[in-house]
Amino acid sequence: MISETVNSTELKKTTTPLKRLITALIIGDIGAYIGLLTVGSILLTLRVNEIDPKGAITSYGLIAGIGSAVAIFSMPIGGFISDRIRLKFGKRKTIIGAGAIVGVLSLMGMAVSTNLLMLGFFNCLMAFGLNIAQAGYSALLVDQVPESKRGTVSGLLGVLGMAGMLIGLVLMSVMTKSSNIGKFGLISAILAIGTIIACSLIKDTPAERRNLEKSREGKVQIGKVISGIYPSPRKYPAFTWAMLTRTFLTLAAMSTTYNAMMFIQRYHYTPEATTKFTALVSFAGMPAMIIASLLGGFLSDKLRKQKIFIIFSAILAGSALIVYAFAPNFTSILIATIILQFGYGLYTGVDLAMVSRILPRKEDTAKDMGIMNIARTIPQTIVPFIVPMLLGIGNWSFVYCFLAVCGLLGALTVLPIPDLSRKTNDMGSTNNDNSLNININ
């Protein structure tokens, strides 16, 4: 059995100074986000249209869908591997570096792909590489950030995805006449440079040696090995409640995916007006989300409370979607979107800090963080499938009422999770008290 006791001398040698660590996380993680989201939002679409202009819609859906499926399971796999890497370079830095190398090669492969099969293969490989790299970055929050600072750091990391997408879109907008090699090459260079800087700043250690649990007869207990893949809901209930909370709130946030279609079908806007209003709504919500994420993370550290922010974010999200359901015009949609994004921002500002605190086992940090990330990627994948089904049952009001209920359920599923104690833990170790004590005050 692996010992979780670390003396102060060893901890000092293997912990990166906080400001340096935050710098590394921002530079490295944003590079990965730029790669993932720039490809997902524009570059993959352009490449599919070049290779298969007549069947672009169907081809894009197939390639993007398979890539999303790969992404769902990449972080748990990367985390599982990272938790067991015993190289002197470090368990987190090794998976980050390996993922970045795979990502760079895959991005350049997408640039030179001449058929859909090649493009789909490299897209899946890119999703795998960049997601396992992010598994390493996520684990560092638990490994090295003191518990008293995790809310603030969580708030900072919560806006990186949006920042990465914006940076990528801006870069691509000024490179419209560049070649595919130029576009994908720039994204690859940003990823590579960001990874090199991050790894040079981070102090890391190899994983501790572990042994498979054996029975008294000396045989490996396969049942315990299998149950170790997903933390037991009975033994670690807080982990499963956090998974449900993240799932419900992400489902609510993904409601904006169908804004363009809703503007056309519900309000009968022209394609030109739809494009204009969709962009306006998207950009109007971004500042609200960024401010809320930073504010929520900072205040949660100061007040030593996390759940109250998540409950409030769920109420805001649910309320905003009720407005969506019965909005008479675009102005109502705009206001509701700002409220929705502010609410989701509050959640993202606290989410990583709360999750890092209730992880079951220190030695499985990266793997469990990867599993937790499935609760964010699955809603992004299934919303495009359930909305048409909901429209078949009712109308747009029904769709948004359903998603509003999902958002409000997030306020209920967070209740059983223990809240922060008044006593801070500056060693950054995981709080394994996964009891069902309800404390929101």
Side-chain angles (χ1 to χ4, degrees):
M1 185 174 179
I2 297 172
S3 173
E4 295 187 7
T5 303
V6 183
N7 61 50
S8 58
T9 303
E10 182 182 358
L11 183 67
K12 186 175 181 181
K13 290 181 180 178
T14 58
T15 299
T16 312
L18 186 58
K19 290 183 180 179
R20 188 165 136 181
L21 178 64
I22 292 173
T23 302
L25 291 175
I26 291 174
I27 293 174
D29 214 5
I30 203 168
Y33 274 120
I34 289 172
L36 276 170
L37 299 180
T38 306
V39 169
S41 62
I42 188 166
L43 288 181
L44 180 61
T45 301
L46 296 176
R47 288 260 55 212
V48 170
N49 274 280
E50 289 176 2
I51 296 173
D52 184 25
K54 293 183 178 180
I57 295 177
T58 302
S59 298
Y60 174 81
L62 181 62
I63 292 174
I66 295 174
S68 296
V70 170
I72 288 173
F73 299 102
S74 295
M75 282 191 71
I77 293 172
F80 181 87
I81 295 170
S82 176
D83 289 331
R84 289 156 178 79
I85 292 175
R86 295 188 50 77
L87 299 177
K88 289 184 178 181
F89 188 62
K91 56 184 180 292
R92 308 308 181 204
K93 287 164 62 172
T94 300
I95 201 69
I96 289 170
I101 291 170
V102 172
V104 167
L105 295 176
S106 302
L107 286 167
M108 297 313 299
M110 293 180 72
V112 300
S113 293
T114 55
N115 57 62
L116 294 177
L117 184 61
M118 285 179 63
L119 185 64
F121 170 76
F122 283 119
N123 182 60
C124 289
L125 202 60
M126 181 272 299
F128 178 77
L130 297 191
N131 274 284
I132 67 171
Q134 288 190 316
Y137 289 121
S138 297
L140 285 167
L141 177 74
V142 187
D143 291 345
Q144 300 193 26
V145 177
E147 187 181 276
S148 61
K149 300 293 184 182
R150 286 182 187 167
T152 302
V153 177
S154 176
L156 286 170
L157 298 182
V159 304
L160 292 185
M162 186 173 294
M165 184 174 68
L166 285 175
I167 292 171
L169 290 175
V170 169
L171 290 174
M172 293 304 102
S173 68
V174 299
M175 296 184 68
T176 53
K177 296 183 179 180
S178 299
S179 65
N180 289 321
I181 294 290
K183 292 175 183 177
F184 282 93
L186 177 60
I187 300 300
S188 298
I190 292 172
L191 171 62
I193 294 170
T195 303
I196 291 171
I197 293 174
C199 288
S200 67
L201 292 174
I202 295 167
K203 293 183 179 180
D204 196 12
T205 56
E208 297 182 52
R209 189 178 299 278
R210 63 173 73 198
N211 297 311
L212 293 176
E213 293 191 49
K214 297 183 179 180
S215 63
R216 291 181 179 179
E217 293 77 21
K219 296 180 180 180
V220 174
Q221 295 179 321
I222 300 298
K224 289 189 176 181
V225 173
I226 295 174
S227 66
I229 296 173
Y230 182 90
S232 167
R234 183 177 180 181
K235 189 175 181 181
Y236 305 107
F239 185 87
T240 297
W241 286 117
M243 285 275 291
L244 290 171
T245 300
R246 181 178 280 193
T247 299
F248 286 131
L249 283 169
T250 304
L251 277 171
M254 288 300 102
S255 59
T256 57
T257 303
Y258 267 82
N259 276 351
M261 188 68 70
M262 181 265 294
F263 286 146
I264 293 172
Q265 293 190 357
R266 189 182 191 186
Y267 298 113
H268 309 293
Y269 291 146
T270 64
E272 293 78 13
T274 297
T275 302
K276 174 185 175 182
F277 289 143
T278 301
L280 182 58
V281 164
S282 298
F283 282 101
M286 288 182 183
M289 181 178 175
I290 292 172
I291 291 170
S293 182
L294 297 174
L295 184 65
F298 175 77
L299 290 177
S300 70
D301 280 343
K302 290 296 182 183
L303 301 177
R304 301 293 300 155
K305 295 295 175 186
Q306 293 171 339
K307 286 164 53 176
I308 191 64
F309 291 96
I310 296 174
I311 292 169
F312 187 48
S313 73
I315 293 172
L316 284 177
S319 301
L321 289 173
I322 292 296
V323 175
Y324 255 83
F326 304 103
N329 51 42
F330 172 75
T331 302
S332 302
I333 294 291
L334 181 62
I335 294 171
T337 300
I338 294 173
I339 296 172
L340 174 65
Q341 296 290 52
F342 186 87
Y344 190 63
L346 280 180
Y347 171 68
T348 59
V350 179
D351 172 46
L352 285 175
M354 182 184 74
V355 168
S356 67
R357 182 173 52 81
I358 53 88
L359 293 179
R361 295 174 292 268
K362 181 181 178 182
E363 64 268 24
D364 289 326
T365 292
K367 183 265 292 181
D368 290 339
M369 288 291 280
I371 291 175
M372 184 64 67
N373 194 62
I374 293 176
R376 180 170 291 155
T377 52
I378 284 182
Q380 295 172 2
T381 304
I382 67 172
V383 164
F385 292 99
I386 66 172
V387 168
M389 294 172 57
L390 294 173
L391 286 173
I393 299 172
N395 53 19
W396 285 102
S397 294
F398 178 74
V399 170
Y400 290 117
C401 283
F402 177 88
L403 294 173
V405 171
C406 290
L408 293 171
L409 284 173
L412 297 178
T413 54
V414 77
L415 290 177
I417 301 174
D419 210 342
L420 278 169
S421 63
R422 287 293 178 183
K423 183 179 179 180
T424 62
N425 181 359
D426 289 333
M427 300 294 285
S429 61
T430 306
N431 180 354
N432 289 326
D433 180 12
N434 287 341
S435 63
L436 295 183
N437 295 326
I438 298 176
N439 177 15
I440 63 173
N441 295 317

